[in-house]
Amino acid sequence: MKLYKLDLLTLLISLFILSGCQETESIGLNVDPATEIKGSFIDTITVNAATVTEDTIITNTLEQYPLGYLNDPIMGKTTANIAMSLTLDPPGLTFGTSPVLDSAVLVLYYGNEFHGDSTSQFQVEVHQLTDALSESTPYYNTKAVGYSSTILGSKSLRFNLKDSVRVYELVTGKADVQKTKPPHIRIQLDRNFVTTNFLNATSTVLSSDTELNKAIKGLYLTVNKAQTTGPGGIAFLNLTDSSRLEVYYKSQNGTLIDTTLHKFPIKNNSSPVIADFKHDYTGTNIQAQLNNPNTKFDYTYVQGLGGLRTRIRFPYIDKLKSLGNITINKAELIVSVVGGTDNFKPAQRLLLYQTDIANQRQFIPDFSTDPVVSMTDLDFGGFYDTTNKRYKFVITTYIQNILKGKLKQYDTFIAPVSLNYNRQSGPVSSGTTAKSAVIGSGKAGVSYKMKLNIIYSKIN
């Protein structure tokens, strides 16, 4: 919080109580009586809120990748697919003399989120890309990539991010050993495809990642919508350091026949991995709001994966200047979740940010990379309060700077981010969470109204 210097006498004289509500516990402004700075409270500032669509997202470097299909009667339909390149470990590997494929398994480790119905069944399918992904091209989430209709492998499953998996590992000269691995998906791939494109590949193809992907193009993961039971859901996969294609084969080694494993890692920091995801709001209240941007509705929406955000405006904030020379002791934006309107748990975390004169996203001073005025993640807020069913943001310096003329108010937004969001990535649209929330707007007369609560002191 930004502090304004006053001499001690002036400070003691100026901090006094004006008439108004001071029941701070009911509004979230809990203060230790021993350190309380008294002031006047106001919660009648107009807050205008509206649902707007999110910006598109470059998916080349996501921390985790979404896969699935979700049909939510509140938030609409969401589809997420993944296109991936493979890498060599090591480059220049060889399959030896007269190799014969034993099996090929696509191993896909989970990320840290599933959003949807955990009882839904999915049919995950693997296809071959028609063109290799470019390392120099930014792939936005709305860009569709071509893939063959031939299914190279499929698996019927429920996305399960909790239970470990027992697998057998090869041990040279000994019997295979069963080991416990973190939760992941294992999909057997077509034998002819793997034999032709890997075991029978030329030394040139196996010489580098670029040559490998030029030859095999890459793999495409999708979910068969028709085979999805229930509402479905979106699972996130770790495609940065642990997922891979495992190729088990037998080859001649002198008079012996060895069984060997070659791994082809999937690493988005080495070779391209991208996602395409989209939303369809047809027939939902969301579409009605998007079609009528000037209408005030009782609630608004926020949704990850480049879906929706809520735009906030404080049209009459400057009227606080009529109170005279004041300092803002604390300003909190209270965002309540509308009970009974969402089928799934609300987003665990929201981010609040502003735009500038060029409509570019910027942090507000209270949550930025400036250590002088910025707050910690927990102090700033945005985390879902399961007890009170709300989010709370401390925006004291932001409001103070607007009143002092240090900042011009353009637009303020709130949108979902992943629970482990790091501000170093900037206030960008999130492609690493699919979670959403239905929240109260600033419209008067509703119990879940969005409120800007301010405690201020008048300075003579």
Side-chain angles (χ1 to χ4, degrees):
M1 183 187 302
K2 191 167 184 177
L3 301 177
Y4 294 87
K5 294 182 178 179
L6 298 172
D7 62 64
L8 181 60
L9 180 60
T10 303
L11 181 63
L12 293 174
I13 294 175
S14 64
L15 300 182
F16 59 89
I17 305 174
L18 295 178
S19 61
C21 172
Q22 295 178 21
E23 296 178 359
T24 57
E25 291 185 0
S26 66
I27 60 169
L29 297 174
N30 300 316
V31 182
D32 181 351
T35 60
E36 179 180 5
I37 299 178
K38 299 185 180 298
S40 299
F41 169 68
I42 183 170
D43 67 349
T44 57
I45 297 169
T46 300
V47 180
N48 289 343
T51 303
V52 296
T53 54
E54 262 287 14
D55 294 334
T56 54
I57 301 168
I58 296 177
T59 66
N60 301 55
T61 56
L62 296 179
E63 294 179 356
Q64 54 183 0
Y65 285 79
L67 175 68
Y69 172 68
L70 176 62
N71 186 356
D72 182 342
I74 302 297
M75 304 303 298
K77 299 173 183 177
T78 300
T79 305
N81 311 297
I82 302 171
M84 62 186 72
S85 308
L86 299 174
T87 62
L88 291 161
D89 183 23
L93 63 81
T94 175
F95 283 94
T97 304
S98 303
V100 177
L101 181 67
D102 185 72
S103 64
V105 183
L106 186 61
V107 180
L108 303 167
Y109 279 87
Y110 288 111
N112 60 20
E113 180 182 302
F114 171 76
H115 178 65
D117 182 356
S118 61
T119 66
S120 289
Q121 196 80 12
F122 302 86
Q123 180 81 4
V124 178
E125 298 176 347
V126 185
H127 301 260
Q128 183 180 18
L129 294 175
T130 54
D131 295 291
L133 301 174
S134 169
E135 295 185 8
S136 60
T137 299
Y139 289 91
Y140 288 86
N141 66 284
T142 53
K143 180 178 176 59
V145 295
Y147 62 94
S148 169
S149 61
T150 302
I151 298 175
L152 300 179
S154 65
K155 189 165 188 175
S156 179
L157 53 77
R158 290 178 181 174
F159 290 126
N160 186 345
L161 280 65
K162 296 181 179 179
D163 295 336
S164 58
V165 179
R166 299 284 289 177
V167 299
Y168 283 95
E169 285 191 353
L170 293 177
V171 179
T172 304
K174 297 181 181 180
D176 296 347
V177 176
Q178 192 177 52
K179 291 190 175 182
T180 301
K181 298 291 183 180
H184 66 273
I185 302 169
R186 302 178 70 85
I187 305 175
Q188 294 275 349
L189 293 193
D190 181 77
R191 296 179 61 85
N192 290 332
F193 171 78
V194 176
T195 298
T196 300
N197 290 278
F198 292 87
L199 272 67
N200 295 341
T202 65
S203 58
T204 300
V205 169
L206 299 176
S207 65
S208 69
D209 295 343
T210 300
E211 292 297 328
L212 175 67
N213 290 299
K214 187 188 300 182
I216 68 169
K217 312 304 181 187
L219 302 176
Y220 189 76
L221 287 177
T222 187
V223 164
N224 189 319
K225 298 179 185 178
Q227 298 296 319
T228 301
T229 65
I234 305 295
F236 284 81
L237 304 179
N238 176 1
L239 303 179
T240 61
D241 57 15
S242 55
S243 298
R244 57 191 177 266
L245 171 63
E246 295 182 347
V247 177
Y248 298 85
Y249 67 98
K250 292 180 173 62
S251 64
Q252 193 76 31
N253 183 8
T255 59
L256 300 176
I257 297 179
D258 289 337
T259 300
T260 308
L261 165 64
H262 274 328
K263 299 177 182 179
F264 296 83
I266 302 166
K267 300 188 295 186
N268 69 338
N269 59 350
S270 298
S271 288
V273 179
I274 66 169
D276 65 82
F277 41 87
K278 60 183 179 181
H279 306 275
D280 181 1
Y281 305 116
T282 303
T284 66
N285 289 331
I286 292 172
Q287 192 62 60
Q289 290 200 15
L290 296 176
N291 292 342
N292 300 276
N294 296 321
T295 301
K296 292 183 179 180
F297 294 91
D298 289 355
Y299 44 82
T300 63
Y301 302 86
V302 292
Q303 182 187 38
L305 288 184
L308 303 165
R309 53 182 171 163
T310 290
R311 183 187 65 219
I312 301 169
R313 291 170 177 167
F314 310 111
Y316 308 118
I317 192 69
D318 282 348
K319 288 192 174 183
L320 287 176
K321 295 177 182 178
S322 65
L323 298 172
N325 188 16
I326 65 172
T327 185
I328 305 299
N329 299 330
K330 194 164 192 179
E332 287 183 340
L333 183 70
I334 307 298
V335 180
S336 297
V337 171
V338 180
T341 59
D342 199 352
N343 294 330
F344 306 109
K345 291 181 180 180
Q348 294 173 288
R349 186 178 182 183
L350 302 181
L351 176 67
L352 183 146
Y353 61 92
Q354 64 177 323
T355 53
D356 59 20
I357 191 172
N359 202 33
Q360 298 300 302
R361 299 177 183 225
Q362 305 291 339
F363 285 124
I364 68 169
D366 305 84
F367 186 82
S368 67
T369 55
D370 182 352
V372 176
V373 295
S374 185
M375 308 175 75
T376 67
D377 289 16
L378 289 177
D379 288 338
F380 174 67
F383 297 93
Y384 183 56
D385 179 346
T386 57
T387 300
N388 297 301
K389 299 186 183 332
R390 68 184 186 184
Y391 305 89
K392 181 173 64 177
F393 299 92
V394 177
I395 56 174
T396 308
T397 304
Y398 183 43
I399 298 300
Q400 182 76 75
N401 285 357
I402 291 173
L403 295 176
K404 295 292 184 181
K406 295 182 178 181
L407 274 178
K408 182 174 176 60
Q409 181 187 188
Y410 293 100
D411 282 329
T412 307
F413 293 92
I414 51 176
V417 290
S418 59
L419 187 60
N420 60 351
Y421 167 80
N422 188 323
R423 70 183 76 184
Q424 297 301 323
S425 60
V428 296
S429 178
S430 179
T432 56
T433 181
K435 292 188 177 295
S436 58
V438 185
I439 56 179
S441 71
K443 185 178 177 181
V446 293
S447 59
Y448 39 79
K449 176 185 175 183
M450 187 182 300
K451 291 184 177 182
L452 177 60
N453 295 329
I454 292 179
I455 288 182
Y456 68 93
S457 296
K458 195 168 184 178
I459 303 174
N460 294 327

Coordinates of all heavy atoms in Angstrom, one line a residue, residues 31-87:
V31 N -9.8 -5.5 11.3 CA -8.7 -4.7 11.8 C -8.4 -5.1 13.2 O -9.3 -5.3 14.0 CB -9.0 -3.2 11.6 CG1 -7.8 -2.4 12.1 CG2 -9.3 -2.9 10.2
D32 N -7.1 -5.2 13.6 CA -6.7 -5.4 14.9 C -7.0 -4.1 15.7 O -6.5 -3.0 15.3 CB -5.2 -5.7 15.0 CG -4.7 -5.9 16.4 OD1 -5.5 -5.7 17.4 OD2 -3.6 -6.4 16.6
P33 N -7.8 -4.1 16.7 CA -8.2 -2.8 17.4 C -6.9 -2.1 17.9 O -7.0 -0.8 18.0 CB -9.0 -3.3 18.6 CG -9.6 -4.6 18.1 CD -8.6 -5.2 17.3
A34 N -5.9 -2.8 18.2 CA -4.7 -2.1 18.7 C -4.0 -1.3 17.7 O -3.2 -0.4 18.0 CB -3.7 -3.2 19.3
T35 N -4.2 -1.7 16.4 CA -3.5 -1.0 15.3 C -4.4 -0.3 14.4 O -4.0 0.1 13.3 CB -2.6 -1.9 14.6 OG1 -3.4 -3.0 14.0 CG2 -1.5 -2.6 15.5
E36 N -5.7 -0.2 14.7 CA -6.7 0.3 13.8 C -6.5 1.8 13.5 O -6.3 2.6 14.4 CB -8.1 0.1 14.5 CG -9.3 0.6 13.6 CD -10.6 0.4 14.3 OE1 -10.6 -0.1 15.4 OE2 -11.6 0.7 13.7
I37 N -6.6 2.1 12.2 CA -6.6 3.5 11.8 C -8.1 3.8 11.5 O -8.7 3.2 10.6 CB -5.8 3.7 10.5 CG1 -4.3 3.3 10.8 CG2 -5.9 5.1 10.0 CD1 -3.4 3.5 9.6
K38 N -8.7 4.7 12.3 CA -10.1 4.9 12.1 C -10.3 5.9 11.0 O -9.5 6.7 10.6 CB -10.6 5.5 13.4 CG -10.5 4.5 14.6 CD -11.1 5.1 15.9 CE -11.0 4.1 17.0 NZ -11.6 2.8 16.8
G39 N -11.5 5.7 10.4 CA -11.9 6.5 9.3 C -13.4 6.3 9.0 O -14.1 5.6 9.6
S40 N -13.8 7.0 7.9 CA -15.2 6.9 7.5 C -15.3 5.8 6.4 O -14.4 5.6 5.6 CB -15.7 8.2 6.9 OG -15.6 9.2 8.0
F41 N -16.4 5.1 6.4 CA -16.7 4.0 5.5 C -17.8 4.4 4.5 O -18.8 5.0 4.9 CB -17.1 2.8 6.3 CG -17.6 1.6 5.5 CD1 -16.8 1.0 4.6 CD2 -18.9 1.3 5.5 CE1 -17.2 -0.1 3.8 CE2 -19.4 0.3 4.7 CZ -18.6 -0.4 3.9
I42 N -17.5 4.0 3.3 CA -18.5 4.2 2.2 C -18.6 2.9 1.3 O -17.5 2.4 1.0 CB -18.2 5.5 1.4 CG1 -19.3 5.7 0.4 CG2 -16.9 5.4 0.7 CD1 -19.2 7.0 -0.3
D43 N -19.8 2.5 1.0 CA -19.9 1.3 0.1 C -21.0 1.5 -0.9 O -21.5 0.6 -1.5 CB -20.2 0.1 0.9 CG -21.6 0.1 1.6 OD1 -22.2 1.2 1.6 OD2 -22.1 -0.9 2.1
T44 N -21.3 2.8 -1.2 CA -22.3 3.1 -2.2 C -21.8 3.6 -3.5 O -22.5 4.1 -4.4 CB -23.2 4.2 -1.6 OG1 -22.4 5.4 -1.3 CG2 -24.0 3.7 -0.4
I45 N -20.5 3.4 -3.8 CA -19.9 3.8 -5.0 C -20.4 2.9 -6.2 O -20.5 1.7 -6.0 CB -18.4 3.7 -5.0 CG1 -17.9 4.7 -3.9 CG2 -17.8 4.0 -6.3 CD1 -16.4 4.6 -3.6
T46 N -20.9 3.5 -7.2 CA -21.4 2.8 -8.4 C -20.4 1.9 -9.0 O -19.3 2.4 -9.3 CB -22.0 3.7 -9.4 OG1 -23.1 4.5 -8.8 CG2 -22.6 3.0 -10.6
V47 N -20.7 0.6 -9.2 CA -19.8 -0.3 -9.9 C -20.6 -0.8 -11.1 O -21.6 -1.5 -11.0 CB -19.3 -1.5 -9.0 CG1 -18.4 -2.4 -9.8 CG2 -18.6 -0.9 -7.8
N48 N -20.1 -0.6 -12.3 CA -20.7 -1.1 -13.5 C -19.9 -2.3 -14.0 O -18.7 -2.2 -14.1 CB -20.8 -0.1 -14.7 CG -21.8 1.0 -14.4 OD1 -22.7 0.8 -13.5 ND2 -21.7 2.1 -15.1
A49 N -20.6 -3.4 -14.2 CA -19.9 -4.6 -14.6 C -20.6 -5.3 -15.9 O -21.8 -5.2 -15.9 CB -19.8 -5.6 -13.5
A50 N -19.8 -5.8 -16.8 CA -20.3 -6.4 -18.0 C -19.5 -7.6 -18.4 O -18.2 -7.6 -18.2 CB -20.4 -5.4 -19.1
T51 N -20.1 -8.6 -19.0 CA -19.4 -9.8 -19.5 C -18.8 -9.4 -20.9 O -19.6 -9.0 -21.8 CB -20.3 -11.0 -19.6 OG1 -20.9 -11.2 -18.3 CG2 -19.6 -12.2 -20.1
V52 N -17.6 -9.7 -21.1 CA -16.9 -9.5 -22.4 C -16.1 -10.7 -22.8 O -15.7 -11.4 -21.9 CB -16.1 -8.2 -22.5 CG1 -17.0 -7.0 -22.3 CG2 -15.0 -8.2 -21.5
T53 N -15.8 -10.9 -24.0 CA -15.0 -12.0 -24.4 C -13.5 -11.7 -24.1 O -13.1 -10.6 -24.1 CB -15.1 -12.3 -25.9 OG1 -14.9 -11.1 -26.7 CG2 -16.5 -12.8 -26.2
E54 N -12.7 -12.8 -24.0 CA -11.3 -12.7 -23.7 C -10.5 -12.5 -25.0 O -11.0 -12.8 -26.1 CB -10.8 -14.0 -23.0 CG -10.7 -13.8 -21.5 CD -9.5 -12.9 -21.1 OE1 -8.9 -12.2 -22.0 OE2 -9.1 -12.9 -19.9
D55 N -9.2 -12.2 -24.9 CA -8.3 -12.1 -26.0 C -7.8 -13.5 -26.4 O -7.9 -14.4 -25.5 CB -7.1 -11.2 -25.7 CG -7.5 -9.8 -25.5 OD1 -8.6 -9.4 -26.1 OD2 -6.8 -9.1 -24.8
T56 N -7.4 -13.7 -27.6 CA -6.8 -15.0 -28.0 C -5.5 -15.2 -27.3 O -4.9 -14.2 -26.8 CB -6.7 -15.1 -29.5 OG1 -5.9 -13.9 -30.0 CG2 -8.0 -15.1 -30.2
I57 N -5.0 -16.4 -27.3 CA -3.8 -16.8 -26.5 C -2.8 -17.5 -27.4 O -3.2 -18.4 -28.2 CB -4.2 -17.7 -25.4 CG1 -5.2 -17.1 -24.4 CG2 -3.0 -18.2 -24.6 CD1 -5.9 -18.0 -23.5
I58 N -1.6 -17.1 -27.3 CA -0.5 -17.9 -28.0 C -0.2 -19.1 -27.1 O 0.0 -19.0 -25.9 CB 0.8 -17.0 -28.1 CG1 0.5 -15.9 -29.1 CG2 1.9 -17.9 -28.7 CD1 1.7 -14.9 -29.2
T59 N -0.3 -20.3 -27.7 CA -0.2 -21.6 -27.0 C 1.1 -22.3 -27.0 O 1.2 -23.4 -26.5 CB -1.3 -22.5 -27.4 OG1 -1.1 -22.9 -28.8 CG2 -2.7 -21.8 -27.4
N60 N 2.1 -21.7 -27.7 CA 3.4 -22.4 -27.9 C 4.1 -22.8 -26.6 O 4.8 -23.8 -26.5 CB 4.3 -21.6 -28.7 CG 3.8 -21.3 -30.1 OD1 2.7 -20.7 -30.2 ND2 4.5 -21.6 -31.1
T61 N 3.9 -21.9 -25.6 CA 4.7 -22.1 -24.3 C 3.8 -22.2 -23.1 O 4.2 -21.7 -22.0 CB 5.7 -20.9 -24.2 OG1 4.9 -19.7 -24.2 CG2 6.7 -20.9 -25.3
L62 N 2.7 -22.8 -23.2 CA 1.8 -23.0 -22.0 C 2.5 -23.9 -21.0 O 3.3 -24.8 -21.3 CB 0.5 -23.7 -22.4 CG -0.4 -22.9 -23.4 CD1 -1.7 -23.7 -23.7 CD2 -0.8 -21.5 -22.8
E63 N 2.2 -23.7 -19.7 CA 2.8 -24.5 -18.7 C 2.1 -25.8 -18.6 O 2.7 -26.8 -18.1 CB 2.7 -23.8 -17.3 CG 3.5 -22.5 -17.3 CD 3.4 -21.8 -15.9 OE1 2.5 -22.2 -15.1 OE2 4.0 -20.8 -15.7
Q64 N 0.9 -25.9 -19.0 CA 0.2 -27.2 -19.2 C -0.9 -27.0 -20.3 O -1.3 -25.9 -20.6 CB -0.5 -27.6 -17.8 CG -1.4 -26.6 -17.2 CD -1.9 -27.0 -15.9 OE1 -1.7 -28.1 -15.4 NE2 -2.8 -26.2 -15.2
Y65 N -1.3 -28.2 -20.9 CA -2.1 -28.1 -22.1 C -3.5 -28.8 -21.9 O -3.6 -29.8 -21.3 CB -1.3 -28.8 -23.2 CG -0.2 -28.0 -23.7 CD1 1.0 -27.9 -23.1 CD2 -0.3 -27.2 -24.9 CE1 2.1 -27.1 -23.5 CE2 0.7 -26.4 -25.4 CZ 1.9 -26.4 -24.7 OH 2.9 -25.6 -25.2
P66 N -4.5 -28.1 -22.4 CA -5.9 -28.6 -22.1 C -6.3 -29.6 -23.2 O -6.0 -29.5 -24.4 CB -6.7 -27.3 -22.2 CG -6.0 -26.5 -23.2 CD -4.5 -26.8 -23.0
L67 N -7.1 -30.6 -22.7 CA -7.6 -31.6 -23.6 C -9.0 -32.0 -23.1 O -9.1 -32.3 -21.9 CB -6.7 -32.9 -23.6 CG -7.2 -34.1 -24.4 CD1 -7.3 -33.7 -25.9 CD2 -6.4 -35.3 -24.2
G68 N -10.0 -32.0 -23.9 CA -11.3 -32.5 -23.5 C -12.5 -31.8 -24.2 O -12.3 -31.1 -25.1
Y69 N -13.6 -32.2 -23.7 CA -14.9 -31.6 -24.2 C -15.8 -31.4 -23.0 O -16.1 -32.4 -22.3 CB -15.5 -32.5 -25.3 CG -16.9 -32.1 -25.7 CD1 -17.1 -30.9 -26.4 CD2 -18.0 -32.8 -25.4 CE1 -18.4 -30.5 -26.8 CE2 -19.3 -32.5 -25.7 CZ -19.5 -31.3 -26.5 OH -20.7 -30.9 -26.8
L70 N -16.3 -30.2 -22.8 CA -17.2 -29.9 -21.7 C -18.5 -29.2 -22.3 O -18.4 -28.2 -23.0 CB -16.5 -29.0 -20.7 CG -17.3 -28.5 -19.5 CD1 -17.8 -29.6 -18.7 CD2 -16.5 -27.5 -18.7
N71 N -19.6 -29.8 -21.9 CA -20.9 -29.2 -22.3 C -21.6 -28.8 -21.0 O -22.3 -29.6 -20.3 CB -21.7 -30.3 -23.0 CG -23.0 -29.7 -23.6 OD1 -23.4 -28.5 -23.3 ND2 -23.8 -30.5 -24.3
D72 N -21.4 -27.5 -20.7 CA -21.9 -26.9 -19.4 C -23.1 -26.1 -19.8 O -23.0 -25.1 -20.6 CB -20.8 -26.1 -18.8 CG -21.2 -25.4 -17.5 OD1 -22.5 -25.4 -17.2 OD2 -20.4 -25.0 -16.7
P73 N -24.3 -26.4 -19.3 CA -25.5 -25.6 -19.7 C -25.4 -24.1 -19.3 O -26.1 -23.3 -19.8 CB -26.6 -26.3 -18.9 CG -26.0 -27.0 -17.8 CD -24.6 -27.4 -18.3
I74 N -24.5 -23.8 -18.3 CA -24.3 -22.4 -17.9 C -23.3 -21.7 -18.8 O -23.5 -20.6 -19.3 CB -23.9 -22.3 -16.4 CG1 -25.0 -23.0 -15.5 CG2 -23.7 -20.8 -16.0 CD1 -26.3 -22.3 -15.6
M75 N -22.1 -22.3 -18.9 CA -21.0 -21.7 -19.6 C -20.8 -22.1 -21.0 O -19.9 -21.7 -21.7 CB -19.7 -22.1 -18.8 CG -19.7 -21.7 -17.3 SD -20.0 -20.0 -16.9 CE -18.6 -19.2 -17.8
G76 N -21.7 -22.9 -21.5 CA -21.6 -23.3 -22.9 C -20.7 -24.5 -23.2 O -20.3 -25.2 -22.3
K77 N -20.3 -24.7 -24.4 CA -19.5 -25.9 -24.8 C -18.1 -25.4 -25.0 O -17.8 -24.4 -25.7 CB -20.0 -26.5 -26.1 CG -21.5 -27.0 -26.0 CD -22.0 -27.5 -27.3 CE -23.5 -27.9 -27.2 NZ -24.0 -28.3 -28.5
T78 N -17.1 -26.2 -24.5 CA -15.7 -25.9 -24.6 C -15.0 -27.2 -25.2 O -15.3 -28.3 -24.8 CB -15.1 -25.6 -23.3 OG1 -15.7 -24.4 -22.8 CG2 -13.6 -25.4 -23.5
T79 N -14.2 -27.0 -26.3 CA -13.5 -28.0 -26.9 C -12.0 -27.7 -26.9 O -11.6 -26.6 -27.2 CB -13.9 -28.2 -28.4 OG1 -15.4 -28.4 -28.4 CG2 -13.2 -29.4 -29.0
A80 N -11.2 -28.7 -26.5 CA -9.7 -28.4 -26.4 C -9.0 -29.6 -27.0 O -9.2 -30.8 -26.6 CB -9.3 -28.2 -25.0
N81 N -8.1 -29.3 -27.9 CA -7.2 -30.4 -28.6 C -5.8 -30.0 -28.5 O -5.4 -28.8 -28.3 CB -7.7 -30.5 -30.0 CG -9.2 -30.7 -30.2 OD1 -9.7 -31.6 -29.7 ND2 -9.8 -29.7 -30.9
I82 N -4.9 -30.9 -28.7 CA -3.5 -30.7 -28.6 C -2.7 -31.2 -29.8 O -3.0 -32.4 -30.3 CB -2.9 -31.3 -27.3 CG1 -3.6 -30.8 -26.1 CG2 -1.4 -31.1 -27.2 CD1 -3.2 -31.6 -24.8
A83 N -1.8 -30.4 -30.4 CA -0.9 -30.9 -31.4 C 0.5 -30.9 -30.9 O 0.9 -29.9 -30.2 CB -1.0 -30.0 -32.7
M84 N 1.3 -31.9 -31.1 CA 2.6 -32.0 -30.5 C 3.7 -32.6 -31.5 O 3.4 -33.4 -32.3 CB 2.5 -32.9 -29.3 CG 2.1 -34.4 -29.6 SD 1.8 -35.4 -28.1 CE 0.3 -34.6 -27.5
S85 N 4.9 -32.1 -31.3 CA 6.0 -32.6 -31.9 C 6.7 -33.6 -31.0 O 6.4 -33.6 -29.8 CB 7.0 -31.5 -32.3 OG 6.4 -30.5 -33.0
L86 N 7.6 -34.4 -31.5 CA 8.4 -35.3 -30.7 C 9.9 -34.9 -30.7 O 10.3 -34.2 -31.7 CB 8.2 -36.8 -31.2 CG 6.8 -37.3 -31.1 CD1 6.8 -38.7 -31.7 CD2 6.3 -37.4 -29.7
T87 N 10.6 -35.3 -29.8 CA 12.1 -35.1 -29.8 C 12.9 -36.4 -29.7 O 12.3 -37.4 -29.3 CB 12.5 -34.2 -28.6 OG1 12.2 -34.8 -27.4 CG2 11.8 -32.8 -28.7

